[in-house]
Amino acid sequence: MILRTRVYIDGYNLYYGRLRKTPYKWLDPVMLFGSRILPSIGYIPAGHKTVPGVELLTDAGVKYFTATIMEKAAKAADSVSSQMIYHSALRAHLGSQIEVIKGYYSLTAVTQRSVDQSDPRRWPRDCQKVLVWKLEEKQTDVNIALQLYDDAIQGSVDQVVVVSNDTDIAPALQLIRKRTDVVIGLVVPAPNPRERGVLRQPNTDLSGVAHWTRGFIDEQDLRAAQLPRSVEGKRKAITKPESWYGRPDLLAKVIDAALPVCKTRSAFFKWAVTRNLYLGNQAPLDLLLTDEGANDVLQYIAKYASDKG
């Protein structure tokens, strides 16, 4: 038996739950789930004695739900362009294997009750009103719920895998469980507690209706499921934003030091991803996550330039 599977990713949940402040934002979700996570599950459906095979659908095996960042509310100057680049890379590299489904952000000025700092337990109704900006992602939860339910009742999938910890989609999963035989999997976008020492509990409204739950995404799986740094686009290559590396500040220093030797950024990255005997057989790029590692790379570049000069 082969479980025809589709993965439904809440992009906001995935980013803030697992990818933010990591060097793994340039993620290949088809590889992550098709080659890493799903083969590790081992769920045996009722009535079966062995674990069935799992196969991502070739037609939108991953549905990725997101919304375009609003520049006026973005946290970084390149947030909008970096997100756009990533979505273009997903479509160019994965083609029909992925579908990017967009909602939108709403930014409004609203009146809210502020917490009384002198008495935090004071009831909201007795607290002062202040005017604040309210940023909300719209339609994403509805889009996920509708796509899940529609796919399930049409019989085009044997298994749906939800990547989120948001309870808003629980009613859709409850209907799927009640009206179909489709297997429901839940992957919580959180670090492995063995890596971070913090366990993010799966929401019981979701895990209670799922047939199986995986409460984390391993760092080693993220590391193994990255898009190529440069993806071939229709007109030109689509390149991973430099701000998406683990320590962009260290990367910038090393690029500045290496360009007189490498001449181009493309040549630099070709060198930077190659293991180097003089750096403990590690790739220079892998060392740019710590100040100590970056210093080793900078010293090597300085010595190389000196020897060549």
Side-chain angles (χ1 to χ4, degrees), residues 44-157:
I44 302 177
H48 293 265
K49 295 182 178 179
T50 59
V51 177
V54 177
E55 185 177 87
L56 277 184
L57 295 173
T58 55
D59 179 18
V62 171
K63 291 189 176 183
Y64 186 90
F65 299 84
T66 185
T68 300
I69 297 169
M70 297 181 71
E71 186 172 7
K72 63 178 71 174
K75 293 185 177 180
D78 67 341
S79 292
V80 176
S81 61
S82 294
Q83 184 195 47
M84 189 181 305
I85 289 169
Y86 178 57
H87 293 166
S88 297
L90 288 178
R91 295 187 183 100
H93 188 66
L94 299 174
S96 64
Q97 296 178 86
I98 193 166
E99 182 180 359
V100 179
I101 300 171
K102 290 189 176 184
Y104 65 94
Y105 278 104
S106 168
L107 182 65
T108 54
V110 298
T111 300
Q112 299 278 17
R113 301 279 184 177
S114 65
V115 177
D116 188 335
Q117 297 297 319
S118 63
D119 183 10
R121 291 181 297 179
R122 189 177 184 184
W123 285 15
R125 71 181 188 186
D126 298 325
C127 293
Q128 182 180 3
K129 289 184 177 181
V130 295
L131 189 65
V132 299
W133 287 112
K134 185 176 182 181
L135 181 66
E136 291 183 289
E137 189 177 7
K138 297 287 190 178
Q139 296 185 352
T140 293
D141 294 333
V142 174
N143 284 336
I144 295 174
L146 290 174
Q147 293 282 331
L148 276 165
Y149 188 69
D150 190 49
D151 289 347
I153 63 172
Q154 286 192 50
S156 59
V157 293

Side-chain angles (χ1 to χ4, degrees), residues 229 240-259 265 268-269 271-273 284-291 293-294 297-298 301:
R229 185 189 76 86
K240 177 180 177 179
E242 292 178 8
S243 63
W244 278 25
Y245 286 85
R247 287 286 302 273
D249 56 327
L250 299 180
L251 177 63
K253 287 182 181 179
V254 172
I255 289 176
D256 288 344
L259 279 181
R265 271 176 157 73
F268 165 79
F269 279 101
W271 168 78
V273 298
L285 199 58
D286 292 338
L287 294 173
L288 303 186
L289 296 177
T290 65
D291 294 317
V297 176
L298 288 169
I301 293 171

